[in-house]
Amino acid sequence: AQSVTQPDIHITVSEGASLELRCNYSYGATPYLFWYVQSPGQGLQLLLKYFSGDTLVQGIKGFEAEFKRSQSSFNLRKPSVHWSDAAEYFCAVGAPTDTDKLIFGTGTRLQVFP
Amino acid sequence: SQTIHQWPATLVQPVGSPLSLECTVEGTSNPNLYWYRQAAGRGLQLLFYSVGIGQISSEVPQNLSASRPQDRQFILSSKKLLLSDSGFYLCAWRYLGRGNTEAFFGQGTRLTVV
């Protein structure tokens, strides 16, 4: 069964600084990978997804993520963080052999200082 | 276009009372449907998912149950709420059998059991 780990519970960065949020997955083959963002008290919005092809994926709001099979990782990055990026970020994994489940990590809360 | 409705937005219920949360999807047919719970420090926990009417898969043993009486309706229930049932409940849908597609989320229900 697939699983996903987000090692960082809380990250604080200054506005304009670069950002990297970590995501590690466990699955025997190439999984489907997703990053979502959640504003307080709201549902989740998809930032980007990966299922095949180019391992560097571009998403909305200036985010990108890179799939690294050797490290079982799918880290989310942004070169320059804006105050409006403060939110909770979730990594999720789906399995090609079990297309019905979608498993989420515990999330990383991002705080942005001016 | 597809939309997902989830209600109520907030709910305060006494311990031992019943629960019924409803989720409906419009604009698509035969979706995969999901119930997730978000509790502090535990991320998004998959509770139930359904691939069709009357077909429910439970991920976590608990005090809750789910039903899918119609193709685009998903209900989360409990006969007697516990304090530990408090949390933010999110309904989501995906295209059936297409694991490389993202889940689309409702706005969530904040449940407080007192």
Side-chain angles (χ1 to χ4, degrees), chain B residues 7-14 17-22 76-78 81 85-89 108-114:
Chain B
W7 67 91
T10 59
L11 192 58
V12 179
Q13 292 284 97
S17 65
L19 173 73
S20 181
L21 302 181
E22 189 162 344
L76 184 69
S77 304
S78 173
L81 283 168
D85 292 324
S86 293
F88 192 52
Y89 289 83
T109 296
R110 173 73 60 190
L111 172 65
T112 305
V113 182
V114 296

Side-chain angles (χ1 to χ4, degrees), chain A residues 32 36 38 42 49 100 102, chain B residues 34 36 38 99 102-103 107:
Chain A
Y32 302 134
Y36 283 83
Q38 183 185 34
Q42 300 295 311
K49 62 182 179 181
D100 304 315
L102 186 61
Chain B
Y34 303 82
Y36 290 88
Q38 187 175 13
E102 66 268 32
Q107 291 300 296

Side-chain angles (χ1 to χ4, degrees), chain A residues 32 34 36 38 41-46 49 51 88 90 94-95 98-107 109, chain B residues 32 34 36 38 41-44 46 49 51 59 88 90 94 96-103 105-107 110:
Chain A
Y32 302 134
F34 308 84
Y36 283 83
Q38 183 185 34
Q42 300 295 311
L44 276 72
Q45 180 184 24
L46 180 74
K49 62 182 179 181
F51 55 93
E88 188 146 22
F90 291 94
D98 185 2
T99 56
D100 304 315
K101 282 189 192 179
L102 186 61
I103 304 299
F104 283 78
T106 50
R109 181 164 296 280
Chain B
N32 276 12
Y34 303 82
Y36 290 88
Q38 187 175 13
R42 299 194 63 182
L44 274 169
L46 178 61
Y49 65 95
V51 300
E59 284 296 294
F88 192 52
L90 287 157
R94 290 169 91 191
L96 180 66
R98 292 172 54 183
N100 61 353
T101 61
E102 66 268 32
F105 284 83
Q107 291 300 296
R110 173 73 60 190

Side-chain angles (χ1 to χ4, degrees), chain B residues 51-114:
Chain B
V51 300
I53 296 174
Q55 300 179 63
I56 308 295
S57 297
S58 174
E59 284 296 294
V60 181
Q62 58 211 318
N63 186 43
L64 302 169
S65 62
S67 62
R68 185 170 177 174
Q70 300 180 42
D71 180 45
R72 291 171 290 177
Q73 184 185 28
F74 205 24
I75 298 171
L76 184 69
S77 304
S78 173
K79 292 182 179 178
K80 289 185 178 181
L81 283 168
L82 306 173
L83 287 174
S84 57
D85 292 324
S86 293
F88 192 52
Y89 289 83
L90 287 157
C91 181
W93 74 273
R94 290 169 91 191
Y95 289 102
L96 180 66
R98 292 172 54 183
N100 61 353
T101 61
E102 66 268 32
F104 300 91
F105 284 83
Q107 291 300 296
T109 296
R110 173 73 60 190
L111 172 65
T112 305
V113 182
V114 296

Side-chain angles (χ1 to χ4, degrees), chain A residues 45-110:
Chain A
Q45 180 184 24
L46 180 74
L47 287 174
L48 46 79
K49 62 182 179 181
Y50 172 81
F51 55 93
S52 67
D54 193 344
T55 57
L56 184 62
V57 181
Q58 301 298 320
I60 62 171
K61 304 186 180 186
F63 285 94
E64 66 177 26
E66 186 171 12
F67 171 63
K68 293 186 176 180
R69 186 192 308 275
S70 61
Q71 299 178 20
S72 297
S73 68
F74 188 56
N75 294 348
L76 182 71
R77 301 194 295 246
K78 187 169 185 177
S80 178
V81 171
H82 188 262
W83 65 266
S84 60
D85 292 324
E88 188 146 22
Y89 292 80
F90 291 94
C91 183
V93 60
T97 54
D98 185 2
T99 56
D100 304 315
K101 282 189 192 179
L102 186 61
I103 304 299
F104 283 78
T106 50
T108 298
R109 181 164 296 280
L110 174 65

